[in-house]
Amino acid sequence: MRRLITHPATLPAAAAALVIAIIATAMAFAGIYQSRIALITHTFEVERELARLVGTMQEAELAARGYVRTMDEAFRTQFNAIRPQADPQLDGIERLTEDNPQQISDLPKLRELVAQKFDDANLAMSQRDTGLESRAIETFVSGRSHDLMEELRSHVHAMENREESMMDRRNSEAS
């Protein structure tokens, strides 16, 4: 029978090499684990920012509708305070998704939908200011505003799904 360690003096060196190999393997697994956690965290960050944007748009619409219905300036003030939040949120989404060309290519449409929603709300409030209450209400009731919000939600949902798919793909590759 052949001995793997031919001289007893090499035993500590072999043991040290084995310990180093075990530590290196453990560190590699820790790196894979950390990268998976980073991917999951990234996906949650993108989804959180997309949800915040939808929430901002819903708040803006509620404020505009409140103004059209009551002409209470507090609603207009609220609307005007909400409007500046959308662009930084969109910029944040763009930064978070810059690693995904498809997400980046979809951002102009998302920006367009946000702009249209704000334009629609501004139009309704202006109509109300000029005494065209029925037109102002019709702007919200006619379906255009509702359709824009549904399109925005659908667009956001598609972006969330792509982000989840990318995370799943990366997890599979890492496995």
Side-chain angles (χ1 to χ4, degrees):
M1 170 182 230
R2 186 170 176 218
R3 293 178 63 181
L4 291 175
I5 300 178
T6 56
H7 193 278
T10 60
L11 186 58
L18 180 60
V19 168
I20 290 171
I22 291 170
I23 291 171
T25 302
M27 289 176 68
F29 282 121
I32 291 170
Y33 177 75
Q34 286 177 333
S35 106
R36 285 185 179 175
I37 294 298
L39 291 173
I40 292 167
T41 301
H42 176 79
T43 297
F44 287 145
E45 287 173 359
V46 172
E47 289 175 346
R48 182 191 67 222
E49 290 306 308
L50 288 166
R52 280 183 58 215
L53 178 66
V54 170
T56 296
M57 298 310 298
Q58 289 172 329
E59 283 183 61
E61 182 166 331
L62 287 172
R65 285 176 182 248
Y67 180 78
V68 165
R69 187 155 168 82
T70 66
M71 287 193 75
D72 182 343
E73 282 299 319
F75 286 114
R76 184 188 292 275
T77 301
Q78 181 184 7
F79 176 83
N80 289 333
I82 293 168
R83 174 63 183 106
Q85 296 173 22
D87 287 334
Q89 288 173 349
L90 287 162
D91 294 342
I93 292 166
E94 185 171 1
R95 275 190 305 278
L96 286 168
T97 59
E98 67 189 2
D99 64 335
N100 186 328
Q102 188 174 9
Q103 297 284 61
I104 289 296
S105 70
D106 282 349
L107 270 168
K109 179 63 177 177
L110 187 59
R111 286 182 187 277
E112 177 187 326
L113 290 167
V114 166
Q116 287 177 355
K117 281 294 295 169
F118 280 115
D119 289 347
D120 209 44
N122 277 320
L123 172 65
M125 289 189 297
S126 294
Q127 290 168 330
R128 181 67 162 112
D129 288 340
T130 58
L132 300 172
E133 182 179 355
S134 62
R135 272 200 181 158
I137 292 171
E138 189 177 308
T139 298
F140 286 116
V141 175
S142 70
R144 174 179 152 73
S145 186
H146 173 76
D147 291 346
L148 282 171
M149 185 56 91
E150 287 304 309
E151 189 175 355
L152 187 135
R153 281 190 191 109
S154 176
H155 201 73
V156 163
H157 186 68
M159 291 181 77
E160 290 169 335
N161 285 342
R162 275 194 297 280
E163 202 63 35
E164 296 256 344
S165 294
M166 187 167 61
M167 182 184 68
D168 290 345
R169 182 175 36 83
R170 286 176 176 168
N171 272 336
S172 293
E173 290 168 0
S175 294

